[in-house]
């Protein structure tokens, strides 16, 4: 349980910094060490979802710019 608390606190630090992916990893490890604590696992999943949203923002911005410039969603350039 002691190590679980350390991972949880590390996850909280990453969350405060907006580093969702790292926070998620720490919370998943804390949950595992705490016997798959459902509350911690739910927090980890929430951080994972935030990370996915952040990763998609550049693509959504490109789509918005394309639609604004062309008035259509057709032929949206695909760039990494």
């Amino acid at each position: 349980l002691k190590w679980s608390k350390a991972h949880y606190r590390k996850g909280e630090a990453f969350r405060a910094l907006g580093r969702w992916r790292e926070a998620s990893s720490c919370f998943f490890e804390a949950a595992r060490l705490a016997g798959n604590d459902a509350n911690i696992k739910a927090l980890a999943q929430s951080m994972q979802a935030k990370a996915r949203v952040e990763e998609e923002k550049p693509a959504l911005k490109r789509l918005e710019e394309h639609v604004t410039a062309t008035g259509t969603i057709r032929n949206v350039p695909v760039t990494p």
Side-chain angles (χ1 to χ4, degrees):
L1 194 59
K2 184 166 94 174
W3 290 107
S4 171
K5 195 177 212 178
H7 283 281
Y8 183 87
R9 288 181 176 166
K10 187 176 177 182
E12 285 292 346
F14 279 129
R15 181 166 75 159
L17 294 170
R19 293 172 58 181
W20 315 121
R21 186 69 59 200
E22 293 96 333
S24 173
S25 294
C26 291
F27 288 133
F28 274 121
E29 184 62 12
R32 185 186 71 78
L33 293 170
N36 284 321
D37 183 288
N39 292 326
I40 300 173
K41 194 178 270 189
L43 184 56
Q45 290 168 338
S46 171
M47 295 300 103
Q48 199 172 48
K50 282 182 177 268
R52 276 192 234 114
V53 167
E54 286 299 314
E55 291 164 1
E56 294 298 324
K57 279 186 177 179
L60 292 172
K61 184 169 176 48
R62 285 193 307 275
L63 175 61
E64 181 181 22
E65 289 169 352
H66 176 78
V67 170
T68 300
T70 65
T72 181
I73 60 169
R74 293 176 188 226
N75 303 316
V76 176
V78 179
T79 57

